[in-house]
Amino acid sequence: MSNIHPSSVIADEAVIGADCTIGPFCVVGPNVVLGERVTLKSHVVIDGDTHVGDDTVIFSFAVIGEIPQDLKFDGEQTRLRIGARNRIREHVTMNTGTAQGGGETRVGDDGLFMAGCHIAHDARIGDRVIVVNSSAVAGHCVIEDDVIIGGLCGVHQWVRIGKGAIIGAVTMVTNDVVPHGLVQGPRGVLDGLNLVGLKRKGVARSDITALRAAFQMLKDGEGTFQERAKRLAAESDSDYVQQMVAFILGDSDRNFLTPG
């Protein structure tokens, strides 16, 4: 049995899962689906074709599932899909997709989206992602699992950020970031590896050593960045290095941030 405050406006067509809690002055649109045990604190707006996964908590004044901030958007039917157990804090905005970008914005499980951050149209956000206060992820970005984006950051449209990377506060990211990379500075440069994150996850010392060696080859080796990555693919048997190589050699619309 869900607990819905009488001051909230819930469209008749909305699907509200079991044991949801909807606080005062919330608005839930007709194409919204809330999973089980979802909590809307107060003054939350959820609209559009939006699904919110089980056990997600959305805090006051968040606006979820509104139309994209894209002048090309012409009212087409697009979607927002949010996974389970996310924490979406005050004033967060997440938009639906666009026809040009595949029609869907996706957010994985177990994320923390701190106050005032923005997830734009057609972005694909992995699991256990943390986006800190007042940061913006632009349209069509791919943020892989376990990424941390520091406060007051901007991630340019079409950028990919690889698994386990960390972006320091007040950084503008304009190019792709390799998995487990550390990026910082007003115009972000690849400044090393996310060693703290790797150690917290219990990554073996041999893999960390291999990643360090790979980073040095990418930084100082002969040939182009892509050529160095191909050599790494042939020379390293570390799964973490192979993950980084696969990311570098994958399809992308952006260049890479290379080691400074």
Side-chain angles (χ1 to χ4, degrees), residues 82-162:
I82 299 172
R85 299 176 301 280
N86 286 287
R87 298 296 178 265
I88 300 172
R89 295 304 303 252
E90 298 82 358
H91 298 279
V92 169
T93 53
M94 296 182 177
N95 293 158
T96 57
T98 64
Q100 297 83 1
E104 184 171 288
T105 305
R106 298 205 309 265
V107 176
D109 299 333
D110 299 299
L112 172 58
F113 301 89
M114 296 189 192
C117 73
H118 174 62
I119 306 299
H121 59 85
D122 307 296
R124 287 181 285 156
I125 312 296
D127 297 338
R128 300 174 300 280
V129 168
I130 298 174
V131 183
V132 181
N133 304 69
S134 301
S135 290
V137 176
H140 312 281
C141 288
V142 176
I143 313 298
E144 294 189 349
D145 297 345
D146 301 304
V147 167
I148 298 174
I149 299 174
L152 298 167
C153 289
V155 182
H156 195 282
Q157 63 184 1
W158 299 104
V159 159
R160 299 182 303 149
I161 300 181

Side-chain angles (χ1 to χ4, degrees), residues 3-53:
N3 179 15
I4 301 174
H5 194 277
S7 66
S8 286
V9 179
I10 314 297
D12 291 339
E13 300 88 345
V15 177
I16 309 299
D19 300 317
C20 288
T21 299
I22 299 178
F25 304 108
C26 295
V27 177
V28 178
N31 297 312
V32 172
V33 176
L34 302 183
E36 296 182 358
R37 299 174 301 280
V38 171
T39 297
L40 311 184
K41 290 287 191 176
S42 74
H43 298 84
V44 173
V45 175
I46 307 182
D47 206 356
D49 182 353
T50 299
H51 292 191
V52 179

